[in-house]
Amino acid sequence: GLVRISLQGSTDTKELGRLIAKASTVKVMFTSGNTFLTTRHNELRDCVQSGGRVTVLLATPNSGFVKDIEQLEGRGPAYGISHEIKASVGRLKRLSEEAKKVQSPVSTGQVEFGHFRTHMRLSLVIVDNRYCYSILCYSPTRTSEALSFLFDAANASNKIVTSQIIEHFDRTFDLL
């Protein structure tokens, strides 16, 4: 069944880094994505430089959802999530620019992002529609402190869960 459960919601593992760097597709959904995009920048760049596609969904800045999360986490205006989301968008733009600068025999991949409007707080990292990191985050807990699960679709007992995770991401992206 389940490959791994982590009590700290960390996406900062060597295993995930290797998977992302070699992936053809990476799908990411976070409220702000700030920590993930910072710690996984090099691997995401490697993915795009080798022709991969990175798709990122972040919360809509200054939305009711974001304001609710800020209040639940006890954040003041100086540490607002909307600032983190805007910084993450800047990181994604730089990621795309960096990937295009490298001369590669393979055509450069693609970085795309959008903002979701749902109030469902489920952070996800999906690699090649096979490996699914799902992080359950109940406010006021932050993602880095939350319970996370790694599922591998190659395992028959995980196919139902991974297909639901992938469908959730894809349908949310289609709403953009």
Side-chain angles (χ1 to χ4, degrees), residues 11-31:
T11 57
D12 187 21
T13 65
K14 289 180 183 178
E15 175 187 23
L16 179 58
R18 284 190 301 272
L19 292 172
I20 289 171
K22 296 178 181 180
S24 58
T25 63
V26 177
K27 300 174 182 177
V28 178
M29 178 187 271
F30 282 97
T31 300

Side-chain angles (χ1 to χ4, degrees), residues 39-146:
T39 59
R40 290 288 156 224
H41 177 86
N42 292 338
E43 292 90 347
L44 290 165
R45 184 196 59 227
D46 292 347
C47 171
V48 176
Q49 285 176 341
S50 58
R53 180 179 184 165
V54 174
T55 306
V56 179
L57 287 170
L58 304 172
T60 303
N62 301 309
S63 64
F65 169 69
V66 168
K67 289 177 183 177
D68 288 349
I69 296 297
E70 288 171 339
Q71 187 174 13
L72 288 166
E73 289 184 357
R75 294 187 183 208
Y79 303 101
I81 295 172
S82 291
H83 296 295
E84 290 180 4
I85 295 168
K86 291 172 185 172
S88 292
V89 169
R91 283 185 182 84
L92 289 167
K93 289 177 180 176
R94 284 190 299 282
L95 174 68
S96 182
E97 291 166 6
E98 276 183 43
K100 290 176 184 174
K101 288 180 182 178
V102 173
Q103 297 295 324
S104 172
V106 179
S107 64
T108 304
Q110 184 178 7
V111 176
E112 60 184 339
F113 66 91
H115 296 287
F116 64 84
R117 298 177 302 274
T118 180
H119 281 251
M120 177 121 174
R121 189 173 188 194
L122 179 65
S123 297
L124 304 170
V125 179
I126 304 166
V127 179
D128 288 332
N129 281 345
R130 176 178 171 182
Y131 299 99
C132 298
Y133 286 79
S134 179
I135 304 168
L136 290 177
C137 191
Y138 302 103
S139 295
T141 304
R142 295 184 181 183
T143 302
S144 61
E145 303 163 333

Side-chain angles (χ1 to χ4, degrees), residues 155-173:
N155 184 321
S157 63
N158 288 335
K159 284 196 187 292
I160 292 172
V161 175
T162 55
S163 65
Q164 290 173 349
I165 292 169
I166 293 164
E167 184 177 17
H168 172 72
F169 180 93
D170 291 344
R171 284 189 176 201
T172 302
F173 189 79

